[in-house]
Structures are given as structure tokens and as C-alpha cells.
């Protein structure tokens, strides 16, 4: 259950107003390509390898964050119920903020890491991905923070890491797909931009729903029930 929420949060984080409209700029920065006419002119082999490096970079940071959140949560194992209730309440608040139903200014404080030089290889792309993850924008931060709160209430270190792997995959899949799409045409960016506000509302409502499940303790019950049908042993 948590993995599903994390993957969905990753997808919707990618389509947030803070990230998606900037994708052409990310791609040209990563690959050294440029916008020509109605597409991003770039060697597609370079696009794939450097995009993959970028994904590896932000995934490393997100997974480390997940492991750290889980370890921190385990320090308060004797207060697991209270931790889950606080986490659920915060996730609800974050969801309402993402949906635009709340306007808490300090939750929208922005932290960015800028790089003046363009990526010159796969390894530099990895470092750029790590920089992106370390200086996420506000709307990505709300979704990511919700998944980290969920990780903090995980029973094991691996469960917390799996949550952030799932979140990273949620961002990685559309990142790769849309990156290749805009190498043919930028029309997709223009069309999807029209629906970003609705996607933010959907993202927020999903987080609110997840928050209520965590707050009420139903998340663990549903996960335990689903685990009987899982292909995985964790």
C-alpha cells in the first residue's frame, strides 16, 4: 500500500508546477542540447545516458533520506502510535497545502542548488541529480516529506528504503518518457501545462487520503492484509 502511494507521489511530483515546465531547461542543461523550433535538438543516446545518470543521482539522495527517516523513527519505537498519528496529521496538512486549500507560507520556502556549468558526462549528470534532490522545490518537498514521514513509521530500514525507491521510480519513469517526447516535439509540454493545477489538486487529495489512513492506523492493517497476496517477502 505504501509503495503504491510512494510511486504515485513520485509521478505527481514530476508533474508539479515546480518541475514539469522546467523540463526542457533540465534536458538542455544535462545534454548540452538546445531548443530549435518546436523541439529539443539533442543526440538521443546522450539524452538516455545522462538522463539515467540524473535519475541515479536523485535516487541515491532520496533513498538515503528514506533510510535516515526510518532510523530516526526507530529511535522512538516505543512511541510508534504517537509517531504515526503525528505523521498522519502532517501528511494531511501537506496534502491540503498541495491541493491549494491551505496557504502556509513557510511550507513554500524554496531551496535551490544552482549549477552554472553544463553536464559533460554521465558522472556529472549523477552529481546534478544529487544536487536536484538536495535542493528540491516546495511542491516536490511537500510530497517527498509525506513519503519520508511514512518511512519514519516503517517497521524496518528496508521498508523505508523501498518507499523512497518507489518514489524515485515514480519520478524517473515520466522523466525518461517525456524527455524523449520533447526531443521530437515540445507540444506535449504545452498541452500538459494546462492541467498542472488539476494534477496538484489530485496529488494533494491522494496525500490527504494517505494521511487519514496513517493517522487512523488503517494503513498498517491494509498493508498487512495485502501482504498476504504480495510477491515479495518484505
Amino acid at each position: 500500500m505504501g509503495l503504491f502511494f510512494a510511486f504515485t507521489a513520485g509521478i505527481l511530483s514530476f508533474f508539479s508546477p515546480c518541475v514539469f515546465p522546467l523540463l526542457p531547461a533540465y534536458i538542455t542543461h544535462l545534454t548540452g542540447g538546445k531548443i530549435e523550433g518546436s523541439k529539443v535538438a539533442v543526440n538521443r543516446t546522450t539524452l538516455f545516458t545522462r538522463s539515467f545518470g540524473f535519475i541515479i543521482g536523485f535516487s541515491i539522495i532520496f533513498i538515503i533520506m528514506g533510510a535516515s527517516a526510518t532510523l530516526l523513527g526507530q529511535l522512538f519505537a516505543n512511541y510508534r502510535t504517537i509517531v504515526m498519528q503525528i505523521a498522519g496529521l502532517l501528511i494531511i496538512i501537506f496534502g491540503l497545502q498541495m491541493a491549494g486549500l491551505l496557504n502556509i507560507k513557510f511550507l513554500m520556502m524554496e531551496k535551490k542548488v544552482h549549477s552554472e556549468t553544463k553536464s559533460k558526462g554521465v558522472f556529472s549528470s549523477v552529481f546534478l541529480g544529487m544536487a536536484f534532490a538536495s535542493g528540491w522545490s516546495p511542491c516536490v518537498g511537500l510530497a517527498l516529506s509525506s513519503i519520508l514521514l511514512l518511512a519514519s513509521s516503517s517497521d524496518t530500514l528496508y521498508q523505508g528504503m523501498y518507499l523512497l525507491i518507489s518514489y524515485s521510480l515514480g519520478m524517473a519513469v515520466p522523466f525518461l518518457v517525456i524527455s524523449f517526447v520533447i526531443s521530437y516535439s515540445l507540444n506535449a509540454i504545452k498541452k500538459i501545462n494546462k492541467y498542472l493545477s488539476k494534477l496538484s489538486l489530485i496529488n494533494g487529495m491522494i496525500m490527504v487520503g494517505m494521511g487519514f489512513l496513517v493517522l487512523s492506523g488503517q494503513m498498517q492493517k491494509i498493508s498487512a492484509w495485502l501482504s498476504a497476496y504480495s510477491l515479495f517477502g518484505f
Side-chain angles (χ1 to χ4, degrees), residues 9 12 18 20 27 34 40 42 60 68 88 93 95 102 119 123 144 161 167-170 179 190 195 213 227-228 233:
L12 294 174
C18 305
F20 183 75
I27 297 305
K34 56 184 178 180
V40 175
V42 60
I60 289 172
S68 300
I93 293 172
L102 287 180
S119 173
F123 288 109
L144 178 60
M161 293 174 67
Y167 178 84
S168 299
L169 285 173
S179 293
K190 297 176 183 178
Y195 302 99
L213 287 176
S227 66

Side-chain angles (χ1 to χ4, degrees), residues 169-217:
L169 285 173
M171 291 195 71
V173 172
F175 182 87
L176 277 176
V177 172
I178 300 298
S179 293
F180 275 92
V181 169
I182 65 175
S183 71
Y184 291 95
S185 173
L186 287 169
N187 289 334
I189 295 285
K190 297 176 183 178
K191 291 179 180 179
I192 296 174
N193 275 338
K194 298 177 182 178
Y195 302 99
L196 289 184
S197 59
K198 293 180 180 180
L199 288 173
S200 295
L201 177 62
I202 293 171
N203 195 5
M205 290 298 98
I206 289 174
M207 290 302 161
V208 169
M210 182 177 72
F212 276 112
L213 287 176
V214 175
L215 180 64
S216 63

Side-chain angles (χ1 to χ4, degrees), residues 109-175:
M109 290 178 63
E110 194 164 1
K111 176 186 176 186
K112 291 182 178 179
V113 176
H114 296 279
S115 175
E116 300 298 331
T117 59
K118 292 188 177 182
S119 173
K120 296 181 180 179
V122 176
F123 288 109
S124 59
S125 299
V126 172
F127 287 118
L128 283 174
M130 295 173 73
F132 166 79
S134 300
W136 64 81
S137 52
C139 40
V140 173
L142 290 173
L144 178 60
S145 296
S146 297
I147 303 304
L148 289 174
L149 285 168
L150 192 59
S152 70
S153 61
S154 298
D155 293 326
T156 68
L157 176 65
Y158 291 112
Q159 287 179 343
M161 293 174 67
Y162 290 141
L163 283 172
L164 273 297
I165 289 172
S166 184
Y167 178 84
S168 299
L169 285 173
M171 291 195 71
V173 172
F175 182 87

Side-chain angles (χ1 to χ4, degrees), residues 20-42:
F20 183 75
L22 300 177
L23 186 60
Y26 277 121
I27 297 305
T28 55
H29 189 78
L30 276 172
T31 64
K34 56 184 178 180
I35 297 176
E36 291 183 352
S38 60
K39 68 178 183 179
V40 175
V42 60

Side-chain angles (χ1 to χ4, degrees), residues 69-84 152:
T70 305
L71 288 174
L72 183 61
Q74 289 179 344
L75 292 177
F76 300 93
N78 293 332
Y79 306 95
R80 178 60 58 85
T81 300
I82 296 176
V83 170
M84 289 185 64
S152 70

